[in-house]
PDB file of all heavy atoms in Angstrom:
ATOM      1  N   CYS A 276       0.536  14.115  43.819  1.00 96.00           N
ATOM      2  CA  CYS A 276       1.853  14.491  43.448  1.00 96.00           C
ATOM      3  C   CYS A 276       1.912  15.163  42.052  1.00 96.00           C
ATOM      4  O   CYS A 276       1.376  14.553  41.118  1.00 96.00           O
ATOM      5  CB  CYS A 276       2.831  13.254  43.450  1.00 96.00           C
ATOM      6  SG  CYS A 276       4.479  13.584  42.867  1.00 96.00           S
ATOM      7  N   CYS A 279       3.918  12.855  39.415  1.00 95.00           N
ATOM      8  CA  CYS A 279       3.481  11.501  38.923  1.00 95.00           C
ATOM      9  C   CYS A 279       2.011  11.180  39.033  1.00 95.00           C
ATOM     10  O   CYS A 279       1.448  10.220  38.560  1.00 95.00           O
ATOM     11  CB  CYS A 279       4.286  10.450  39.687  1.00 95.00           C
ATOM     12  SG  CYS A 279       3.774  10.294  41.411  1.00 95.00           S
ATOM     13  N   HIS A 297       7.494   7.912  49.312  1.00 97.00           N
ATOM     14  CA  HIS A 297       7.422   8.165  47.904  1.00 97.00           C
ATOM     15  C   HIS A 297       8.812   8.698  47.463  1.00 97.00           C
ATOM     16  O   HIS A 297       9.009   9.911  47.493  1.00 97.00           O
ATOM     17  CB  HIS A 297       6.313   9.154  47.619  1.00 97.00           C
ATOM     18  CG  HIS A 297       6.129   9.410  46.172  1.00 97.00           C
ATOM     19  ND1 HIS A 297       5.915   8.426  45.215  1.00 97.00           N
ATOM     20  CD2 HIS A 297       5.862  10.610  45.487  1.00 97.00           C
ATOM     21  CE1 HIS A 297       5.659   8.996  44.075  1.00 97.00           C
ATOM     22  NE2 HIS A 297       5.660  10.244  44.153  1.00 97.00           N
ATOM     23  N   CYS A 302       8.997   8.277  42.029  1.00 97.00           N
ATOM     24  CA  CYS A 302       8.272   9.390  41.365  1.00 97.00           C
ATOM     25  C   CYS A 302       8.639   9.479  39.941  1.00 97.00           C
ATOM     26  O   CYS A 302       7.819   9.627  39.077  1.00 97.00           O
ATOM     27  CB  CYS A 302       8.543  10.666  42.210  1.00 97.00           C
ATOM     28  SG  CYS A 302       7.433  12.012  41.669  1.00 97.00           S
TER      29      CYS A 302
HETATM   30 ZN1  LIG B 782       5.363  11.559  42.590  1.00 53.97          ZN
END
Side-chain angles (χ1 to χ4, degrees):
C276 174
C279 69
H297 186 47
C302 188

